Amino acid sequence: MAETSPPLSQHSAASITCVKKLSESPDLNSIPSCYAYYANPAETMASDPHDSVPTIDLSLLTSDNPDHRSKAIQDLDKACEEWGFFMVVNHGIPEQLMRAVIDVTNEFFNLPEEEKPEFQPQNVLEPIRYGTSFNTAIEKVFWWRDFLKVFVHPDFHCPHKPHSLTEVVTEYCKRSREVVRKLLRGISESLGIEESEMEKCLGLDSSLQIFIANLYPRCPNPDAAVGIAPHSDHGLFTLLIQNQVAGLHIQHKGNWVHVTPRPNSILVNTGDHLQIFSNGKYKSVLHRAVVNKMKARISIAVANGPSADTVVSPAPRLLQTQGCRPAYVPMQYKDYLLAQQSNQLNGKSILERVQIQD
């Protein structure tokens, strides 16, 4: 294992600093031992995928040409079923806006600490959260990342600084919701469920949307640290963009593979609640973030879920038409979110709690 520095004095939220500050320490030659996640450097390795990562052309998914639309729906169905992950092109979000949200996020992380929101608030469902790792109150090993998590729909929240953050995040998240609704229309058609029925079952008019900005500073021991540990996402679809620094791995057919985004594309992964709603037809994807010693990486993940109060279960129409039993126990979305965010993030541990065993 790579050499690490002595542990920090206490593993408590009160004594943990942001990783950005730690990484800028002039005498930091190795990470503190409480950031040593991997014992074997080979665990951080990933390969190029043998198959091409699926690409969904959103303009075809919304096309007036029935053949184009039908083919795009089939492609979306296959991507969600076999990969749980795909790239979206021709999505309608201006490239300039995508760059702006990355830039303004970088500005936020570069603000003096006293100008940022409270660091590590105790309530994991606080609408504005700025912190580090995932849940330092209970973690024994920390992640090499700082984050900003903001609830942006149905009620909009945002830090006051930098001044352009509110405007840019508002527009980007609005455009992201439009992309997600178009994807969900394709999903409803693929599952044989009326769009209005899906909207009602999931409370999509009041859908909970969370803007998550991640900063992964340069790391002296990238083969020992982790940016984000392997996990699946809550919700329906997570949309992700990043600066020009690689670091996303997804698990496909049991192997970790690199993801190299196409220019101006948006990366999309299916969430646990799409898996639940589809009664296991679609699979949420395990993914992780790795770090490097050369450049800081910024990623913007926008999580799109049902409404917070919705009790999510397999779609009744789907169970009826397929004549099958539900594979998941109904659970209110906000309770699921609280359970996930209050614990250590570990694979699909929360999803496994609601899965009905044969």
Side-chain angles (χ1 to χ4, degrees):
M1 187 180 74
E3 179 186 356
T4 56
S5 300
L8 300 181
S9 57
Q10 295 288 331
H11 288 190
S12 66
S15 64
I16 299 300
T17 185
C18 63
V19 176
K20 181 178 184 294
K21 183 177 179 180
L22 177 62
S23 70
E24 292 170 350
S25 303
D27 56 349
L28 183 72
N29 298 313
S30 60
I31 59 175
S33 60
C34 57
Y35 287 94
Y37 185 87
Y38 293 109
N40 181 355
E43 294 181 77
T44 65
M45 303 299 289
S47 59
D48 293 324
H50 295 296
D51 308 313
S52 297
V53 173
T55 298
I56 303 300
D57 188 328
L58 202 65
S59 67
L60 298 182
L61 191 64
T62 57
S63 172
D64 293 331
N65 184 311
D67 293 335
H68 290 170
R69 177 169 163 73
S70 176
K71 175 64 166 55
I73 289 174
Q74 290 176 22
D75 291 344
L76 177 62
D77 176 78
K78 185 177 181 180
C80 292
E81 192 168 351
E82 296 183 1
W83 284 79
F85 183 86
F86 51 92
M87 302 184 201
V88 175
V89 298
N90 294 324
H91 42 70
I93 300 181
E95 186 175 1
Q96 183 178 359
L97 178 59
M98 296 167 68
R99 287 199 303 268
V101 76
I102 294 284
D103 291 343
V104 76
T105 296
N106 190 43
E107 287 181 45
F108 169 82
F109 285 119
N110 283 324
L111 287 173
E113 288 302 298
E114 61 270 17
E115 295 186 23
K116 296 176 184 174
E118 176 192 358
F119 187 67
Q120 300 283 120
Q122 294 299 308
N123 179 7
V124 296
L125 296 186
E126 191 77 24
I128 298 177
R129 291 186 67 220
Y130 163 57
T132 193
S133 191
F134 181 73
N135 188 348
T136 55
I138 61 173
E139 289 168 329
K140 295 180 180 179
V141 179
F142 304 134
W143 302 353
W144 196 261
R145 75 135 183 188
D146 296 330
F147 66 80
L148 172 66
K149 297 182 181 181
V150 183
F151 286 22
V152 291
H153 191 267
D155 298 316
F156 183 83
H157 304 269
C158 193
H160 298 302
K161 292 183 179 182
H163 299 300
S164 59
L165 184 64
T166 295
E167 180 183 356
V168 172
V169 170
T170 298
E171 182 63 19
Y172 180 74
C173 291
K174 175 190 171 188
R175 297 289 193 111
S176 296
R177 288 195 299 276
E178 293 169 356
V179 170
V180 169
R181 290 302 285 264
K182 291 172 182 176
L183 292 173
L184 288 175
R185 288 187 192 111
I187 290 294
S188 68
E189 193 165 331
S190 180
L191 293 177
I193 301 171
E194 291 290 334
E195 181 184 345
S196 59
E197 185 176 352
M198 175 184 266
E199 290 175 353
K200 183 177 179 181
C201 285
L202 297 175
L204 294 181
D205 287 340
S206 300
S207 61
L208 181 61
Q209 187 183 46
I210 307 174
F211 174 88
I212 306 159
N214 299 300
L215 172 67
Y216 308 97
R218 292 185 300 171
C219 178
N221 304 114
D223 56 350
V226 68
I228 295 183
H231 70 285
S232 61
D233 290 347
H234 60 81
L236 301 167
F237 284 120
T238 300
L239 275 56
L240 185 133
I241 60 174
Q242 61 187 23
N243 60 355
Q244 302 301 311
V245 180
L248 176 65
H249 294 170
I250 63 170
Q251 196 171 87
H252 181 58
K253 297 181 179 179
N255 298 314
W256 288 109
V257 297
H258 295 287
V259 176
T260 305
R262 293 174 57 173
N264 199 33
S265 65
I266 294 176
L267 305 177
V268 181
N269 61 266
T270 58
D272 292 346
H273 290 83
L274 189 61
Q275 181 167 333
I276 294 169
F277 188 73
S278 68
N279 205 36
K281 173 179 170 66
Y282 301 138
K283 303 295 191 294
S284 57
V285 67
L286 280 175
H287 54 289
R288 67 186 183 186
V290 294
V291 294
N292 73 86
K293 63 171 61 176
M294 303 301 294
K295 292 183 178 180
R297 176 173 178 255
I298 290 177
S299 70
I300 305 295
V302 179
N304 299 270
S307 72
D309 294 327
T310 293
V311 176
V312 184
S313 63
R317 179 77 62 187
L318 192 64
L319 300 179
Q320 181 183 355
T321 56
Q322 295 185 352
C324 56
R325 295 180 178 180
Y328 303 90
V329 176
M331 187 175 187
Q332 197 170 41
Y333 182 42
K334 65 182 177 184
D335 291 339
Y336 189 103
L337 186 58
L338 180 62
Q340 188 197 58
Q341 300 292 305
S342 300
N343 290 278
Q344 294 190 61
L345 200 58
N346 179 25
K348 292 190 173 190
S349 58
I350 306 301
L351 181 63
E352 289 164 358
R353 291 189 197 178
V354 300
Q355 190 164 2
I356 299 173
Q357 303 300 321
D358 294 331

PDB file of all heavy atoms in Angstrom, residues 110-125:
ATOM      1  N   ASN A 110     -13.377  27.844  -4.559  1.00  0.00           N
ATOM      2  CA  ASN A 110     -12.234  28.728  -4.324  1.00  0.00           C
ATOM      3  C   ASN A 110     -12.555  29.901  -3.399  1.00  0.00           C
ATOM      4  O   ASN A 110     -11.670  30.697  -3.072  1.00  0.00           O
ATOM      5  CB  ASN A 110     -11.686  29.253  -5.647  1.00  0.00           C
ATOM      6  CG  ASN A 110     -10.863  28.204  -6.384  1.00  0.00           C
ATOM      7  OD1 ASN A 110     -10.157  27.417  -5.765  1.00  0.00           O
ATOM      8  ND2 ASN A 110     -10.957  28.187  -7.710  1.00  0.00           N
ATOM      9  N   LEU A 111     -13.809  30.029  -2.972  1.00  0.00           N
ATOM     10  CA  LEU A 111     -14.162  31.088  -2.029  1.00  0.00           C
ATOM     11  C   LEU A 111     -13.457  30.870  -0.692  1.00  0.00           C
ATOM     12  O   LEU A 111     -13.175  29.732  -0.309  1.00  0.00           O
ATOM     13  CB  LEU A 111     -15.674  31.086  -1.774  1.00  0.00           C
ATOM     14  CG  LEU A 111     -16.616  31.603  -2.862  1.00  0.00           C
ATOM     15  CD1 LEU A 111     -18.062  31.337  -2.449  1.00  0.00           C
ATOM     16  CD2 LEU A 111     -16.411  33.093  -3.104  1.00  0.00           C
ATOM     17  N   PRO A 112     -13.186  31.950   0.046  1.00  0.00           N
ATOM     18  CA  PRO A 112     -12.714  31.782   1.429  1.00  0.00           C
ATOM     19  C   PRO A 112     -13.750  30.998   2.231  1.00  0.00           C
ATOM     20  O   PRO A 112     -14.968  31.130   1.993  1.00  0.00           O
ATOM     21  CB  PRO A 112     -12.583  33.224   1.942  1.00  0.00           C
ATOM     22  CG  PRO A 112     -12.494  34.073   0.699  1.00  0.00           C
ATOM     23  CD  PRO A 112     -13.292  33.367  -0.341  1.00  0.00           C
ATOM     24  N   GLU A 113     -13.310  30.208   3.163  1.00  0.00           N
ATOM     25  CA  GLU A 113     -14.236  29.343   3.913  1.00  0.00           C
ATOM     26  C   GLU A 113     -15.341  30.141   4.602  1.00  0.00           C
ATOM     27  O   GLU A 113     -16.479  29.682   4.697  1.00  0.00           O
ATOM     28  CB  GLU A 113     -13.463  28.515   4.945  1.00  0.00           C
ATOM     29  CG  GLU A 113     -12.618  27.413   4.345  1.00  0.00           C
ATOM     30  CD  GLU A 113     -13.439  26.430   3.510  1.00  0.00           C
ATOM     31  OE1 GLU A 113     -14.343  25.774   4.064  1.00  0.00           O
ATOM     32  OE2 GLU A 113     -13.194  26.345   2.294  1.00  0.00           O
ATOM     33  N   GLU A 114     -15.008  31.345   5.082  1.00  0.00           N
ATOM     34  CA  GLU A 114     -16.017  32.130   5.803  1.00  0.00           C
ATOM     35  C   GLU A 114     -17.139  32.626   4.889  1.00  0.00           C
ATOM     36  O   GLU A 114     -18.189  33.072   5.375  1.00  0.00           O
ATOM     37  CB  GLU A 114     -15.362  33.318   6.521  1.00  0.00           C
ATOM     38  CG  GLU A 114     -14.647  34.309   5.618  1.00  0.00           C
ATOM     39  CD  GLU A 114     -13.183  33.963   5.388  1.00  0.00           C
ATOM     40  OE1 GLU A 114     -12.790  32.801   5.643  1.00  0.00           O
ATOM     41  OE2 GLU A 114     -12.438  34.865   4.951  1.00  0.00           O
ATOM     42  N   GLU A 115     -16.953  32.558   3.585  1.00  0.00           N
ATOM     43  CA  GLU A 115     -17.993  33.000   2.653  1.00  0.00           C
ATOM     44  C   GLU A 115     -18.837  31.846   2.132  1.00  0.00           C
ATOM     45  O   GLU A 115     -19.763  32.051   1.359  1.00  0.00           O
ATOM     46  CB  GLU A 115     -17.355  33.743   1.478  1.00  0.00           C
ATOM     47  CG  GLU A 115     -16.671  35.041   1.881  1.00  0.00           C
ATOM     48  CD  GLU A 115     -16.179  35.839   0.682  1.00  0.00           C
ATOM     49  OE1 GLU A 115     -16.720  35.646  -0.417  1.00  0.00           O
ATOM     50  OE2 GLU A 115     -15.244  36.638   0.856  1.00  0.00           O
ATOM     51  N   LYS A 116     -18.544  30.631   2.568  1.00  0.00           N
ATOM     52  CA  LYS A 116     -19.307  29.459   2.153  1.00  0.00           C
ATOM     53  C   LYS A 116     -20.360  29.125   3.204  1.00  0.00           C
ATOM     54  O   LYS A 116     -20.304  29.632   4.335  1.00  0.00           O
ATOM     55  CB  LYS A 116     -18.366  28.261   1.954  1.00  0.00           C
ATOM     56  CG  LYS A 116     -17.363  28.461   0.818  1.00  0.00           C
ATOM     57  CD  LYS A 116     -16.399  27.284   0.747  1.00  0.00           C
ATOM     58  CE  LYS A 116     -15.334  27.498  -0.308  1.00  0.00           C
ATOM     59  NZ  LYS A 116     -14.302  26.431  -0.287  1.00  0.00           N
ATOM     60  N   PRO A 117     -21.321  28.247   2.862  1.00  0.00           N
ATOM     61  CA  PRO A 117     -22.311  27.832   3.860  1.00  0.00           C
ATOM     62  C   PRO A 117     -21.639  27.088   5.008  1.00  0.00           C
ATOM     63  O   PRO A 117     -20.456  26.734   4.953  1.00  0.00           O
ATOM     64  CB  PRO A 117     -23.237  26.896   3.067  1.00  0.00           C
ATOM     65  CG  PRO A 117     -22.993  27.208   1.631  1.00  0.00           C
ATOM     66  CD  PRO A 117     -21.569  27.663   1.542  1.00  0.00           C
ATOM     67  N   GLU A 118     -22.426  26.825   6.048  1.00  0.00           N
ATOM     68  CA  GLU A 118     -21.920  26.058   7.189  1.00  0.00           C
ATOM     69  C   GLU A 118     -21.286  24.753   6.710  1.00  0.00           C
ATOM     70  O   GLU A 118     -21.842  24.048   5.875  1.00  0.00           O
ATOM     71  CB  GLU A 118     -23.079  25.749   8.148  1.00  0.00           C
ATOM     72  CG  GLU A 118     -22.691  24.867   9.320  1.00  0.00           C
ATOM     73  CD  GLU A 118     -23.901  24.336  10.072  1.00  0.00           C
ATOM     74  OE1 GLU A 118     -25.041  24.685   9.692  1.00  0.00           O
ATOM     75  OE2 GLU A 118     -23.703  23.560  11.016  1.00  0.00           O
ATOM     76  N   PHE A 119     -20.111  24.449   7.244  1.00  0.00           N
ATOM     77  CA  PHE A 119     -19.397  23.239   6.842  1.00  0.00           C
ATOM     78  C   PHE A 119     -19.952  22.033   7.599  1.00  0.00           C
ATOM     79  O   PHE A 119     -20.062  22.053   8.822  1.00  0.00           O
ATOM     80  CB  PHE A 119     -17.900  23.403   7.137  1.00  0.00           C
ATOM     81  CG  PHE A 119     -17.034  22.298   6.611  1.00  0.00           C
ATOM     82  CD1 PHE A 119     -16.887  22.117   5.245  1.00  0.00           C
ATOM     83  CD2 PHE A 119     -16.368  21.438   7.459  1.00  0.00           C
ATOM     84  CE1 PHE A 119     -16.080  21.106   4.733  1.00  0.00           C
ATOM     85  CE2 PHE A 119     -15.557  20.432   6.973  1.00  0.00           C
ATOM     86  CZ  PHE A 119     -15.417  20.258   5.600  1.00  0.00           C
ATOM     87  N   GLN A 120     -20.302  20.983   6.848  1.00  0.00           N
ATOM     88  CA  GLN A 120     -20.789  19.736   7.446  1.00  0.00           C
ATOM     89  C   GLN A 120     -21.986  19.938   8.385  1.00  0.00           C
ATOM     90  O   GLN A 120     -21.920  19.585   9.563  1.00  0.00           O
ATOM     91  CB  GLN A 120     -19.658  19.058   8.225  1.00  0.00           C
ATOM     92  CG  GLN A 120     -18.443  18.690   7.405  1.00  0.00           C
ATOM     93  CD  GLN A 120     -18.635  17.447   6.557  1.00  0.00           C
ATOM     94  OE1 GLN A 120     -18.528  17.502   5.358  1.00  0.00           O
ATOM     95  NE2 GLN A 120     -18.931  16.347   7.173  1.00  0.00           N
ATOM     96  N   PRO A 121     -23.116  20.458   7.914  1.00  0.00           N
ATOM     97  CA  PRO A 121     -24.293  20.573   8.794  1.00  0.00           C
ATOM     98  C   PRO A 121     -24.733  19.191   9.263  1.00  0.00           C
ATOM     99  O   PRO A 121     -24.561  18.194   8.568  1.00  0.00           O
ATOM    100  CB  PRO A 121     -25.344  21.229   7.895  1.00  0.00           C
ATOM    101  CG  PRO A 121     -24.903  20.932   6.496  1.00  0.00           C
ATOM    102  CD  PRO A 121     -23.409  20.881   6.543  1.00  0.00           C
ATOM    103  N   GLN A 122     -25.310  19.128  10.453  1.00  0.00           N
ATOM    104  CA  GLN A 122     -25.672  17.849  11.056  1.00  0.00           C
ATOM    105  C   GLN A 122     -26.816  17.155  10.305  1.00  0.00           C
ATOM    106  O   GLN A 122     -26.842  15.937  10.188  1.00  0.00           O
ATOM    107  CB  GLN A 122     -26.066  18.056  12.523  1.00  0.00           C
ATOM    108  CG  GLN A 122     -24.919  18.515  13.406  1.00  0.00           C
ATOM    109  CD  GLN A 122     -23.777  17.514  13.436  1.00  0.00           C
ATOM    110  OE1 GLN A 122     -23.989  16.336  13.694  1.00  0.00           O
ATOM    111  NE2 GLN A 122     -22.561  17.988  13.163  1.00  0.00           N
ATOM    112  N   ASN A 123     -27.756  17.930   9.814  1.00  0.00           N
ATOM    113  CA  ASN A 123     -28.918  17.365   9.122  1.00  0.00           C
ATOM    114  C   ASN A 123     -28.526  16.966   7.701  1.00  0.00           C
ATOM    115  O   ASN A 123     -28.212  17.820   6.875  1.00  0.00           O
ATOM    116  CB  ASN A 123     -30.058  18.386   9.101  1.00  0.00           C
ATOM    117  CG  ASN A 123     -31.300  17.872   8.384  1.00  0.00           C
ATOM    118  OD1 ASN A 123     -31.372  16.695   7.998  1.00  0.00           O
ATOM    119  ND2 ASN A 123     -32.281  18.752   8.213  1.00  0.00           N
ATOM    120  N   VAL A 124     -28.566  15.666   7.408  1.00  0.00           N
ATOM    121  CA  VAL A 124     -28.132  15.198   6.086  1.00  0.00           C
ATOM    122  C   VAL A 124     -29.116  15.572   4.983  1.00  0.00           C
ATOM    123  O   VAL A 124     -28.800  15.429   3.797  1.00  0.00           O
ATOM    124  CB  VAL A 124     -27.899  13.673   6.078  1.00  0.00           C
ATOM    125  CG1 VAL A 124     -26.755  13.301   7.002  1.00  0.00           C
ATOM    126  CG2 VAL A 124     -29.173  12.908   6.436  1.00  0.00           C
ATOM    127  N   LEU A 125     -30.307  16.033   5.352  1.00  0.00           N
ATOM    128  CA  LEU A 125     -31.273  16.491   4.349  1.00  0.00           C
ATOM    129  C   LEU A 125     -31.418  18.005   4.364  1.00  0.00           C
ATOM    130  O   LEU A 125     -32.413  18.548   3.876  1.00  0.00           O
ATOM    131  CB  LEU A 125     -32.637  15.815   4.572  1.00  0.00           C
ATOM    132  CG  LEU A 125     -32.652  14.285   4.384  1.00  0.00           C
ATOM    133  CD1 LEU A 125     -34.077  13.757   4.494  1.00  0.00           C
ATOM    134  CD2 LEU A 125     -32.039  13.868   3.051  1.00  0.00           C
TER     135      LEU A 125
END
